[in-house]
Amino acid sequence: MPEPTKKDETETQSAPPPPEQKTPQDGGTGKDKDEDDTSVSTPPADGMSKPAERKDSVWSIGEGAPEESEKRDDSQMSTLFIEKPQSGSVSVGGNITFIAKVEAKDLLRKPNVKWFKGKWMDLASKAGKHLQLKESFERHTKIHTFEMHIIKAKENFAGNYRCEVSYKDKFDSCSFDLEVTESSQAAQSIDIRSAFKRSGEGQEDAGELDFSGLLKRREIKQQEEEPEVDVWELLKNANPSEYEKIAFQYGITDLRGMLKRLKRMRREVKKSAAFAKGLDPAYQVDKGGKVRFMVELADPTVELKWYKNGQEIRPSAKYIFEHKGNQRILFINNCTMADDARYYVTAGDEKCSTELFVRDPPILVTKSLEDTSTYVGERVELSCEVSEENANVKWFRNGVELSDDPHSRYRIKVEGKKHTLIIEEAAKNDNATYSVMTTGGQSEAKLSVDLRPLKISLALEDQTVRLGQEIHLKCEISENVEGKWYKNGQLVEASDRVKLYHKGRIHRFVIASSAVDDEGEYMFVPDAYNINIPCKVHVVDPPKLHLDGLGENNTVTVVAGSKLRLEIPITGEPTPKVVWSRGDKGITDSGRIRAETYPDSSCLVIDAAEREDSGPFRITLKNEAGEDTALINIKVVDVPDPPQAPNVTEVGEDWCVMTWEPPANDGGSPILGYFIERKKKQSSRWMRLNFELIKETTFEPKKMIEGVAYEVRVFAVNAIGISKPSMPSKSFVPLAVTSPPTLLAVDGVTDTSVTMKWRPPDHIGAAGLDGYVVEYCFEGNGFSQGISTDLSEELLEPPFHVEADEWIVANPELTDKTKFTINGLPTGSKILVRVKAVNAAGESEPRYHPQPILVKEVIEPPKIRLPRHLKQTYTRRVGETVNLVIPFQGRPRAKVSWEKNGSPIDKNHINIRNTENDTIIFIRKAERCHSGEYDMKVEVENLVDKATIDIQIVDRPGPPEIVIIDDVWGENVNLSWKPPKDDGNAAITGYTIQKADKKSMEWFTVMEHYHRTSATINELIIGNEYYFRVFAENMCGLSEDATMTKESALIAKDGKVYKYPVYNDFDFTERPMFTQPLVNTFAVAGYNATLNCSVRGNPKPKITWLKNKVIIMNDPRYRMFSNQGVCTLEIRKPSPYDGGTYTCRAVNTLGEAEVECKLEVKVIYQGVINPGEPFFLAGNNQVYNKHTPLVTQ
C-alpha cells in the first residue's frame, strides 16, 4: 500500500519507524528509507504527469526537497532545555536511548515536544517495534522528561536527529547524531526483491516490479539502490494476527496471492539455451496502464508461444505481439485486475515465466484534520475527507491505532468521502494528537480539552448541633463535577453513617445522628480544581445519668458488712461537674462514704456498709448544655432461692419461648432479674445466654441448631447475688416452618381454569418440605380496593381484608409440584390466589399474587420462533436424519399447517408432529427428493404467521463426462474434461486427478481439490506410458467412480537428464510460548467457572495446572482440557476457598513457560444467613465476606 512522499510543504509522510537518514547519491539525489525499506513512490495526485522514458527504470522511494524549518522571531526564542540529548553510537541490533529534560516551574501546562530525523521527518507517527517515545513528570522537582528509545538498531538508522520543544511564544531546539556501527556477528540478509525493477507508464520497459517501493511515491532515479528489508521475511516472521496490519502498511492488496507468488519466485532461475535474455522475475503496472514483456532468443527460428495462467494468449487489440530481430515482445494494453496473473513463454521445450502485479492508485487525504479546542464534557468531532468513497482509513491517538469497538469512547463515522472521529463527552485525558492514515497520505491535529472556570454559588456554613441531631452541610458550585469531603484534613468516605450526595451542581454532606467525634473542621474540594470550601461543626451534649443497670426506683441492695462501689455512667459534652449528697449534706471524696469521679462515670463508695446507710442518695450533673439529677436508694439484702424448673411453651427453627415462676423467697430484696443457661441434652456443658439481667419471667433463646435436643435452666438475681440454678426443663427439639414460596405467577388462563406456578421457598430447614396448599377467593369478598398494580411485587400480606373462612382450598391433598391448575371456575370471574408451603412444623406464611386474575382465555397472536440456523439453507446428506423443532406462540388452540413447494406434504414420507408450543418435522432417511421450500403457517382465529424453511439434501456427485488428453510435450501432459451431469444437488468444489503407469496400472494421486476443468500434469517419467482418471468432488466428498482417458500418453525419451533439487527439512521445533494469557476472573459461588489460555510449542508441551503454586492432581472438583493448543481449567461449583492464584505451566524438551491469573469468588446470600464469616450490615441489605468485596443483593 503506497504512502505519500514529501514533495512539498503541504504533503505528509507516514512509514514504519524508525526512518533512515537521506544519503546523497549521484550528485545530490537523496533517498529516504524506512525500517523495512518497503516504500514505493506513487504518481502525482492529479494523475496527468508521467515520468520521462528511460532505458532501465527502477523503483525509487522518492526525492523530495527538504522541508524548511519554521521561521521564528529571534526575540521570542528562549532556552527551555535543562538537559539536551547527546550524540551517541550503537552497534547493529543494539538499543540506545536519548533523553531531554525541561523545567516546568514557569510553565502552566506541559510543553509540546517533537522528535525529527533530518530536517523534516516527524518521528511521532513512526512509533512501533523499533522506535518508542516516552514522557514522564516528576512532581517534586517539576521536571518533564522526554525519551526516545531506538530498539534493535539497523545501519540505515544512522544520521542527524533533532529535538524541538515549544511553549506558547517560547521555543528551543537541539540537534544530535546517531552512529550505527556494523556488528561482527551480523549475517547478511537475503533480499528477494534485489532483482525486481519497475518503471512509469509509457516507457519501454513499463511495468517491471521492485517491492522496495510499496509505500512512497514514484520518482525517476539515476542509480538503483540495493533494498534492505524483505517484505516476505517480515510476513513470514510476523504473527498471523498482524498480517492485515502489515498489508495495510505496505500496500499489499492480495496478501494470500503475494505470499504464494513470492515463495514461487524465490526459486533459482537456471540459465536457458533457448533464451539469450529471459523475462524479469516480476513486473508491476498501474491499473489502466500498459506493460511490455520482452525476451531475446538464441535461435530466432524457434516457435514462441505466450501463456497466461496456463492459457495460451492469442493476438488481439489487448494483446499485441512484436518481433525485432531476436527480440520477441508482448504488449498488454489497458491493464485491469484480471491481468494480475502468472505469465510464461515457451520456446520448444524450454519455458520462461514471470509475475505481473496490477495495483490500484493510492487513497489521498483531500481535506486535512484541524486543531480543536473544547471544554470537558463537550462533544468533539474531528473530520477529514479522502479521494475515494468508503476508503480504508485508520485513526491513531498519539501513534496508537483506535478501534471502532462499540464499547470504546471513540466512534468513527463514514459518510462517503468524509470520515469523522466522534468523542461524545470529552475528558481531560483526551488531550492528544489525533491522526488519520490512508494508503496514500496522512493528516494530524491536536485536541485541547480544558476545564471551565469554577465559581462558588453557595458556600458551607458553620454549625452547632446537639448530640444525636443531624449534621447537614450543603454547598453549590458553578460546574457539575465530582468532589471530595475532608474532616480535619482527612478524606471522608461515604458509609452507613455518612451520606454524600451529588446532584447537578449541589453537593451535600449528611450525618443523620451526630456523635462527639463528628466535631471538627470540614472542607469540600472539587475534583480537578485548586479550590476548597471550609466550615466548622461544634457538637454539644446535655449531661445525662445512665441508670439502666439499677433496680426498681433506683434501689441498690448490698449485704451488710460488705463494701459497696456503685458506678454510675455519665455522658455530656463538655464533661459535666458531678455532686453527690445525702439529705442536705454533701459527700466528699474522702471518708467511709465517699464519691469518686471519672471522665465517663462517677462512683459512690461505702466501705463496710451499715444498716444506717440505707436511704436515698442524690447525684447531680451540670454543664453549659443543662443538668441532670437522680435519687439512688441503698438497701441491705440476701441472695434469693432458686426458681422452679422452666417450661418451653413454643418452638421455632432456631429459637424457643420459655417461661418460669419467680422464686418463693426473694432473700429480702426484690428480684433484679434472671440469668438463662442452656445445653444440649447429651452434653454436660452449660452456656450462659444473657449477660444482662432478664427482668421478665419469659425469655426467647436463639441461635440453636435445628433438629438437636436442648435443655434450659434459670438463675434468680437480686442485689445480693445469684441464686442456685433451677432444675432443667424437659428436653425439646427446635423445628420451624419453611419460608413462603417465591415467584408466584400466572402460567396460563382458560375460560374455566387458572394455572399458577411458583418457586420453592428460599429456606426449608431440617423439617423438610411436605408439599404446597393452593387457596383462592372470588371478587366481591373485600379485595376490590387497594390492589397493587406492580405485577413484579411479591406480597406476604393480602392487599385487602379477607376473612379466613372466605379462602377456598384448591387442592385437598398436598401437591409436591410447583405448578397447579385450579379447575371449575366460572368464566369472567376474578379470583385472588395464595400459596403456602407445609412441613412437619406447620404451614408457612402465604405468598399472595398481587393482582386479581380474570378467568377468561386471552388471545395470544401467533408468532413463529424460527431458530437462527433454519433462517439459512438447511443442508443434510442423503441417508441422514432430519429432525427440526420449530417453537411458536399462539393461544388458544393454534392451528399449524405445512406445505412443500406450494403443495401439501406427503405424510407417508415426512412425519409432522404438532404440540401447543412447537411443531416437529421428521425425516428418518433423507433423500434428494425431500429438497425444497417448506412453508409453515400458524393460525389463531383470524391471525396468521408464516415462515419458510429451505431444505437441501445433497449426495456425492457423478464422475466427469469425458477426460481427454489435449497435448503431450516433454515431461508434461495437458488434460481437459467436462463437469459431471449429476452434481449431487451441491456445487462442485473441485476435482482429484490420478495417474497410472500402463505397465503396473497402480493409481497415484497427482492433484487434489483442483477447481478447473483442465490441468497440466508435470514431472512424468520419460519413457513411461500413462493413463489418467478424474474424480469429481463436492461437499459430500468424491464421486464413487472416476472417468479415465481412453488413450494413453507416452512420454518420449529425448536424452535429457533431469536433476531433482535438494530441499532441506524445516525445523519446526519450538519451546513453549503462551499466545493468549490467563486473565483475572470473578466467579459466583455455586456456578461453574473456567480459566482459558492458549500455548504453542513443538514437541507438544505437557500442561500442568497449579493453585497457589501447588500442583492440582486427582481433585474431582477440577477438570482440565487441552485441544489444539487451547488449555482450559473448569472449576465445578466454586466456593470462596477456591479463590487464589492459578498458574498454567507448559513444559517440553526445549524449555518451559508459565502464565497465571487471580480468581475471586463472590458469595451472594438470599435469606437468613448461617453463623459464620458473612454477615448482614446493619441498616441495609448487603453481605460481607472476608474473601470477597461487598455484594449488593
Side-chain angles (χ1 to χ4, degrees), residues 708-731:
V708 177
Y710 288 90
E711 294 178 348
V712 292
R713 67 183 182 182
V714 183
F715 293 83
V717 180
N718 66 2
I720 303 301
I722 303 174
S723 69
K724 294 182 179 180
S726 68
M727 296 298 294
S729 67
K730 295 181 179 180
S731 62

Coordinates of all heavy atoms in Angstrom, one line a residue, residues 708-731:
V708 N -31.8 -30.6 67.0 CA -31.0 -31.1 68.1 C -31.8 -30.8 69.4 O -32.3 -29.7 69.6 CB -29.6 -30.3 68.1 CG1 -28.8 -30.8 69.3 CG2 -28.8 -30.6 66.8
A709 N -31.7 -31.8 70.3 CA -32.5 -31.7 71.6 C -31.7 -30.8 72.6 O -30.5 -30.9 72.7 CB -32.7 -33.1 72.2
Y710 N -32.4 -29.9 73.3 CA -31.8 -29.0 74.2 C -32.6 -29.0 75.6 O -33.7 -29.5 75.6 CB -31.9 -27.5 73.7 CG -30.9 -27.2 72.6 CD1 -31.3 -27.4 71.2 CD2 -29.7 -26.8 72.8 CE1 -30.5 -27.2 70.2 CE2 -28.8 -26.5 71.8 CZ -29.2 -26.7 70.5 OH -28.4 -26.4 69.4
E711 N -31.9 -28.5 76.6 CA -32.5 -28.3 78.0 C -32.1 -26.9 78.4 O -31.0 -26.4 78.0 CB -32.0 -29.3 79.0 CG -32.5 -30.7 78.7 CD -31.9 -31.7 79.7 OE1 -31.0 -31.3 80.5 OE2 -32.4 -32.9 79.7
V712 N -32.9 -26.2 79.2 CA -32.6 -24.9 79.7 C -32.8 -24.8 81.2 O -33.6 -25.7 81.8 CB -33.5 -23.8 79.0 CG1 -33.2 -23.7 77.6 CG2 -35.0 -24.1 79.2
R713 N -32.2 -23.9 81.9 CA -32.4 -23.6 83.3 C -32.2 -22.2 83.6 O -31.7 -21.4 82.8 CB -31.4 -24.5 84.2 CG -30.0 -24.0 84.0 CD -29.1 -24.9 84.9 NE -27.7 -24.5 84.8 CZ -26.6 -25.2 85.4 NH1 -26.9 -26.3 86.1 NH2 -25.4 -24.7 85.3
V714 N -32.7 -21.7 84.9 CA -32.8 -20.3 85.2 C -32.1 -20.1 86.5 O -32.1 -20.9 87.5 CB -34.2 -19.9 85.3 CG1 -34.4 -18.4 85.6 CG2 -35.0 -20.2 84.0
F715 N -31.4 -18.9 86.7 CA -30.8 -18.4 87.9 C -31.6 -17.1 88.3 O -31.8 -16.2 87.4 CB -29.4 -18.0 87.8 CG -28.5 -19.2 87.5 CD1 -28.3 -19.7 86.2 CD2 -27.8 -19.8 88.6 CE1 -27.5 -20.8 86.0 CE2 -27.0 -20.9 88.3 CZ -26.8 -21.4 87.1
A716 N -32.0 -16.9 89.5 CA -32.6 -15.7 90.0 C -31.5 -14.8 90.6 O -30.5 -15.3 91.2 CB -33.6 -16.0 91.1
V717 N -31.6 -13.4 90.4 CA -30.6 -12.5 90.8 C -31.3 -11.4 91.6 O -32.3 -10.8 91.1 CB -29.8 -12.0 89.6 CG1 -28.7 -11.0 90.1 CG2 -29.2 -13.1 88.8
N718 N -30.8 -11.0 92.8 CA -31.2 -9.8 93.5 C -29.9 -9.0 93.8 O -28.8 -9.3 93.2 CB -32.0 -10.1 94.7 CG -31.2 -10.9 95.8 OD1 -30.0 -11.1 95.6 ND2 -31.8 -11.2 96.9
A719 N -30.1 -8.0 94.6 CA -28.9 -7.1 94.9 C -27.8 -7.9 95.6 O -26.7 -7.4 95.6 CB -29.4 -5.9 95.7
I720 N -28.1 -9.0 96.2 CA -27.1 -9.7 97.0 C -26.2 -10.5 96.0 O -25.0 -10.6 96.1 CB -27.7 -10.6 98.1 CG1 -28.5 -9.8 99.0 CG2 -26.6 -11.3 98.8 CD1 -27.8 -8.7 99.7
G721 N -26.9 -11.2 95.1 CA -26.1 -12.1 94.2 C -27.0 -13.0 93.4 O -28.2 -12.7 93.2
I722 N -26.5 -14.1 93.0 CA -27.2 -15.1 92.1 C -27.5 -16.3 92.9 O -26.7 -16.8 93.7 CB -26.3 -15.5 90.9 CG1 -25.8 -14.2 90.2 CG2 -27.0 -16.4 90.0 CD1 -24.8 -14.5 89.1
S723 N -28.8 -16.8 92.7 CA -29.2 -18.0 93.4 C -28.6 -19.2 92.7 O -27.9 -19.1 91.7 CB -30.7 -18.1 93.3 OG -31.1 -18.3 91.9
K724 N -28.9 -20.4 93.3 CA -28.5 -21.6 92.7 C -29.4 -21.9 91.5 O -30.5 -21.3 91.4 CB -28.7 -22.8 93.7 CG -27.7 -22.7 94.9 CD -27.9 -23.9 95.8 CE -27.0 -23.8 97.0 NZ -27.1 -25.0 97.9
P725 N -28.9 -22.7 90.5 CA -29.7 -22.9 89.3 C -31.0 -23.7 89.6 O -31.1 -24.5 90.5 CB -28.8 -23.7 88.4 CG -27.9 -24.4 89.3 CD -27.7 -23.5 90.5
S726 N -32.0 -23.5 88.8 CA -33.2 -24.3 88.8 C -33.0 -25.6 88.3 O -32.0 -25.9 87.7 CB -34.3 -23.5 88.1 OG -34.1 -23.6 86.7
M727 N -34.0 -26.5 88.4 CA -34.0 -27.8 87.8 C -34.1 -27.7 86.2 O -34.7 -26.7 85.8 CB -35.1 -28.7 88.3 CG -35.0 -29.1 89.7 SD -33.5 -30.0 90.1 CE -33.9 -31.5 89.3
P728 N -33.4 -28.5 85.5 CA -33.5 -28.3 84.0 C -34.9 -28.6 83.5 O -35.7 -29.3 84.1 CB -32.6 -29.4 83.5 CG -31.7 -29.7 84.6 CD -32.5 -29.6 85.9
S729 N -35.3 -27.9 82.4 CA -36.6 -28.1 81.8 C -36.6 -29.5 81.0 O -35.6 -30.2 80.9 CB -36.8 -27.0 80.8 OG -35.9 -27.1 79.7
K730 N -37.8 -29.8 80.6 CA -37.9 -31.0 79.7 C -37.2 -30.8 78.4 O -37.2 -29.6 77.9 CB -39.3 -31.4 79.5 CG -40.1 -31.8 80.8 CD -41.5 -32.2 80.4 CE -42.3 -32.6 81.7 NZ -43.7 -33.0 81.4
S731 N -36.6 -31.8 77.8 CA -35.8 -31.6 76.6 C -36.8 -31.3 75.4 O -38.0 -31.7 75.4 CB -35.1 -32.9 76.2 OG -36.0 -34.0 76.0

